[in-house]
Each structure stands twice: as structure tokens, then as C-alpha cells.
Amino acid sequence: MFRFPKHKDIITLYHKASSPSSMRVAALLKKQQTAAIEAGKPEFDLQISEEVAPTPTQVGTILDYLGNNRISSLFEGASNKEDALKVFSQSPDSFKRPTIVDWNNGKVVIGENESEILKMLNALAK
């Protein structure tokens, strides 16, 4: 049976090179990307964004993925999407890094929780 090839999932790491935790996350993601290729598992496109903050539209999408109960983990003191967008518009540096976003599957991991990152990446194979 003919099937169209699946597009690669896009994973973005919002990275801060001066942060040891962000450096560990970048290394983990690169290692997992290489391992997926070598094992013949579904590959993903890894985008590491250090210089560029997410756009307000991207932040809005990320907040939708998080849901109201997790917004404060990305923007301290924000209790809803509107609060978070206001904080971001006033200070784009308030966006916590490292933050990993799986755009195709609507998942977000904030920080360096390795088990959550691996769980996100393992879900790509399904």
C-alpha cells in the first residue's frame, strides 16, 4: 500500500548559551536527534533559537499548548494567557529558557527535565 512520507516533526529549543541547564538540554536534543537517525527512528528537525525571541504569535501558541495551569512556569506571576502576553510584550527576556516546543504535536517542556524531554521525543515515533 502506498503511503505519503510523514513530514519531520519540528522541535524548537529556545536556548540561552550562558545557562548551564540550557547547554545540557541542547546537548541532549542533539544526541537524541543523531540517535534517531542512526536507529532509523522518525527524525525531527531541531531548531535552536538563541538570538531570536519567539514572536508574539509563537508565544500565544506555546501558551495554548501549556494551558492556564502551566502558564506561570513560563512567565512568572502570569495566571492566564493575557497576563503572559502582557509580560512578554513588556520584557521579551521574561520568556524562560530553556524551553522546548514540539510544534507538530503541541507539546512544551520548560527547563531541563530530561525525562519529560525524552517522553516528548519518544512520542514522535507514534
Side-chain angles (χ1 to χ4, degrees):
M1 177 163 93
F2 176 78
R3 292 187 338 184
F4 289 102
K6 183 181 180 228
H7 293 285
K8 289 182 185 178
D9 290 307
I10 299 170
I11 305 293
T12 300
L13 167 62
Y14 290 100
H15 176 59
K16 185 174 185 178
S18 63
S19 164
S21 65
S22 194
M23 294 299 291
R24 287 188 291 272
V25 169
L28 174 66
L29 289 170
K30 289 175 185 176
K31 179 181 173 186
Q32 292 300 310
Q33 184 182 39
T34 301
I37 293 167
E38 291 172 353
K41 293 181 179 178
E43 297 175 35
F44 58 92
D45 282 332
L46 176 60
Q47 301 172 345
I48 298 179
S49 179
E50 182 177 343
E51 300 297 323
V52 180
T55 66
T57 301
Q58 288 171 321
V59 171
T61 300
I62 293 167
L63 294 171
D64 288 340
Y65 293 166
L66 284 173
N68 278 339
N69 59 338
R70 292 181 53 213
I71 285 176
S72 63
S73 63
L74 187 59
F75 291 101
E76 201 169 306
S79 59
N80 58 43
K81 185 176 181 178
E82 292 74 28
D83 287 348
L85 288 171
K86 183 177 179 182
V87 168
F88 179 72
S89 69
Q90 293 171 349
S91 176
D93 289 338
S94 62
F95 185 88
K96 289 192 181 164
R97 296 172 191 244
T99 295
I100 306 100
V101 182
D102 174 355
W103 298 104
N104 297 73
N105 298 297
K107 306 239 188 250
V108 178
V109 176
I110 302 164
E112 66 171 322
N113 185 328
E114 185 173 332
S115 65
E116 286 298 313
I117 295 167
L118 293 175
K119 182 179 172 183
M120 172 192 283
L121 297 177
N122 288 333
L124 299 177
K126 296 177 179 159

